[in-house]
Amino acid sequence: MSNYSQVIPIANKILKNYFLCDQCLGRLFSKQLHLSSNKLLGKKLKNIPDSKNKCYVCKNLFYNLDYFSKLMLSSSSNYVFKTYGVGVIIKPSIVDRDDFLRSKYKLKGIDSIKTDITKELIKLFSKKTHKEVDSIDPEITFTVNLKDESCELRSKSLTVSGRYVKSKRGYPQKQKSCDNCSGKGCRICNFHGISKFESVEGVISKFLFKKFGGTIAKFTWIGGEDKFSLVLGTGRPFFVKVKNPSKRKSVLLDEKFDFVSVHHLKLIHESPKKPLNFNSTVEIQISTVSQIDSKNLKILKTLTTTPIIIYEKSGKCYEKKIFDIKYRKKSKNLFTMIINVEGGFPIKRFVLGDGVLPNVSDLLNTPCSTHEFDFLDIRVE
Ligand SMILES: [Zn+2]
Ligand SMILES: [Zn+2]
C-alpha cells in the first residue's frame, strides 16, 4: 500500500512533462491511496491553482460535464423513472493519451477516463434528480456522446398481459403495418409501426400508448380468429411488449371500446418464452350443399375418437385433437357445431376438407362451408 508522500514524486514527474487537470491527476493515484475524490486529491498533489493550460489527457472535458448532465436531464424530461444507467462515448484520442500515460508511468489498477467520466456524470445527475443508478437492469439508459455533444435515451420495454373480447364482426385481429416503414417505425406513424388503429391490435395498442407512451407494441397472441369471428366468454389471452415506454406504472382497469374490450390487464415480467398450449371452444355455422337430417349428423361424434391430421402445403403435417362435439340442425342446409379443440386448429379448412383428414365435408358426404365461427371460450393449460 502506498502513502501520500510516496506518490508525490511520481506526480511531480508526470506534471513536469504533462499538464493534467485535478480530476485526471487525482485519478492516477486515488485508488492506491483509497481516496474517493479524484478532484480533491489532484488539487492537493498539484498544490498550484489550475492554470489556463489544457489537460493533456481530457482537454478539460471534466470542466464541461455539467453541460452533459443537463443534456441527460432534458432528454429524460418526458420520462417517469426511478433507475437509470449511463454509457459514454468519448474521442478515441482521449483514451489513447490516457492509456499512454498509464503505461509510461506504470500506473496500474486505476479507473479509465471513461469510467471516471461515467462516475462523475452519475454524481451530477443523481444530485440533480435523486434518481438511483442501476448498472444491471436500469429503467432508462443514457448514452452520452461527448464527441458530438449528444445524448440518446433508451427506456426498458414493459410487458402487459390480458384478455380481449371481440363483440362485433368485421374487425381483424391484427393491424396492417405502416405503409411507409413496414412496421419498423417512422415519423409518419409516430414510430409506432402502425398508422391506423382499426383492429383488435390497433385499439389495444392505442390504449397502451396512451397509458405508457412508447413506440412499438409487439403482440403475442394466444391463437387468432377470422375477421368475422367473435371472441366471447372470458376472451382471448394476449401478451404485449411496449417498447420505449415513457411511463412504467399505471392503474390497469378493464376497458370497453367500440368492438373490443380488454380484461385482466396486468404488468408482467416478460412474455412467455415458449408457445402456450391452449384449447378453444368454437361455435361454427355450417351450410351444406345436400340436405341433411339429424341422423346423418351423428357421425360427427366420431371426430372425437381420432386425431385430426392437418397437411400443410410445405409437405409438413401435424395433429390436433377434438375433445368434444355438439351439433344442432337449424334448417335443411344449415347446422351449428360446437367443438372443444386444441388451439391452432384450422376451422375453415376442417369444414371444407382442404388438407384436413378426417373433415366435415367427407364425413357428411356433401360439400360443406362456413361463413361464421365464434370463439366461446379459450383456456390456457
Ligand atoms: Zn483532465
Ligand atoms: Zn411508419
Side-chain angles (χ1 to χ4, degrees), residues 209-228:
F209 294 148
K210 217 167 138 193
K211 285 255 171 209
F212 299 107
T215 49
I216 287 170
K218 203 169 173 300
F219 282 81
T220 305
W221 306 102
I222 304 305
E225 73 273 352
D226 200 69
K227 187 175 172 181
F228 295 98

Side-chain angles (χ1 to χ4, degrees), residues 178-195:
C178 160
D179 288 335
N180 189 51
C181 66
S182 327
K184 283 189 201 81
C186 67
R187 264 170 220 293
I188 290 174
C189 61
N190 218 354
F191 300 98
H192 291 321
I194 53 174
S195 51

